[in-house]
Amino acid sequence: MATTARPASALEELNLTATKPRSLWGDAWRRLRRNKAAMLGITVVLLYVLVALAAPWLAPKNPVTQTSNNSLRPPIWVTDNPNRQPNPEHILGTDTNGRDILSRLIFATRVSLIVGVVPQIIIVVIGVGIGLVAGFRGGWVDNLLMRLTEIVASFPDLLFIITLTVAFRETLFGKAFNGLLLIFTALAVVGWTSLARLVRGQVLSLKEKEFVEAAKALGIPTSRILVRHILPNTLAPIIVAVSFSIPSLILAEAILTFLGVGMRPSVDPANPLPTSLGQMMTDGFNNLSSGPWMLLFPVLMLSTLVISFTFLGDGLRDALDPRDAGR
């Protein structure tokens, strides 16, 4: 008995269409894009990055140059004081030394982003390295590295950072880059412990997996197993931890500078990092009664940047969480 050939569109009729498999990172990006708060955070962070990179062209004035009369001027919309009228050349007003606040905010963004990124790179190198070695080697190596981690983590973070900055503040190392190099080091010294513990826990669970046992059986060197097989499988929690750590570093620098042990202010017109949000907050606090806008604007900038990174971290955590992979 002859059979009738099925038409070419039979697969579509039976809804047997093939689905192209998605990668882990592609699926995570798809979930991240659906998170409106995370996308808002990414947009704001990218805007801050662009402002920091283009600061010399965006700033209307030099951030350390004083006006001819060195007077305090309010923002252009504050006109209730007849003795202190705004200047159209200074949109956000000036500080007590006559320096343009908008220009100083733009350049201060650079410092905040650098403080959030540079120490974080050091933290990742130290924390991931110690976590990988401790988790994979085990035994006395694991005990030694984890005891070291516990000793460093036992100190109160802020108190330890203040102690380091005060102890080395007047040295050549402490004065380098307006004190930023010392801040980078202090933040990194106390910041790697939690990442090392996180990576160690991931490695302890991964090293018993079949693909790692197979790599060992094939005689692949330990360093290659760590870099090519284990490290890529720990990237998701590392990325989430880094995204939450960056705003903490930015806030820590602002607190240190506000307390007077952070970045040193610069009066060099050619300095690419003349001030920070913490320094501007200190100036604003000292002149709160006469110029509240001096404190308001840097606080708003700092809060917006920290909240944006927090939104991004929440979105990355939800996007990279394996329990949400089926959504």
Side-chain angles (χ1 to χ4, degrees), residues 120 123-128 131 191-201 237-239 241-242:
Q120 190 60 61
I123 289 172
V124 168
V125 172
I126 299 176
V128 172
W192 60 269
T193 56
S194 59
L195 186 60
R197 289 171 172 173
L198 173 65
V199 174
R200 172 183 176 269
I238 291 175
I239 291 174
V242 167

Side-chain angles (χ1 to χ4, degrees), residues 71-95 100-101 290-294 297:
S71 61
L72 179 66
R73 295 286 183 177
I76 58 175
W77 59 85
V78 179
T79 59
D80 56 349
N81 189 348
N83 297 322
R84 188 182 293 156
Q85 290 297 310
N87 187 337
E89 295 183 0
H90 305 283
I91 298 176
L92 299 183
T94 61
D95 60 13
D100 185 67
I101 290 181
S290 58
W293 59 87
M294 292 177 56
F297 295 132

Side-chain angles (χ1 to χ4, degrees), residues 25 124 128-129 132 199 202-203 206 211-212 223-238:
W25 300 107
V124 168
V128 172
L132 285 174
V199 174
Q202 295 291 318
V203 173
L206 287 172
F211 67 91
V212 176
S223 59
R224 187 175 179 182
I225 294 176
L226 289 174
V227 175
R228 297 290 300 275
H229 299 279
I230 293 182
L231 180 59
N233 288 280
T234 64
L235 286 180
I238 291 175

Side-chain angles (χ1 to χ4, degrees), residues 268-296:
D268 183 5
N271 193 325
L273 303 172
T275 188
S276 68
L277 293 176
Q279 183 61 49
M280 296 186 67
M281 289 167 57
T282 301
D283 296 339
F285 182 78
N286 293 333
N287 300 275
L288 185 59
S289 59
S290 58
W293 59 87
M294 292 177 56
L295 178 62
L296 175 63

Side-chain angles (χ1 to χ4, degrees), residues 123 149-166 182-183 185-195 197 245 248-249 252-253 255-256 259 261:
I123 289 172
T149 302
E150 291 173 359
I151 291 173
V152 176
S154 63
F155 291 96
D157 289 353
L158 185 58
L159 182 59
F160 192 39
I161 293 173
I162 293 176
T163 302
L164 288 177
T165 53
V166 171
L182 178 58
I183 294 177
T185 304
L187 293 175
V189 165
V190 300
W192 60 269
T193 56
S194 59
L195 186 60
R197 289 171 172 173
S245 178
S248 300
L249 295 175
E253 182 277 329
I255 294 174
L256 290 174
L259 294 176
V261 294

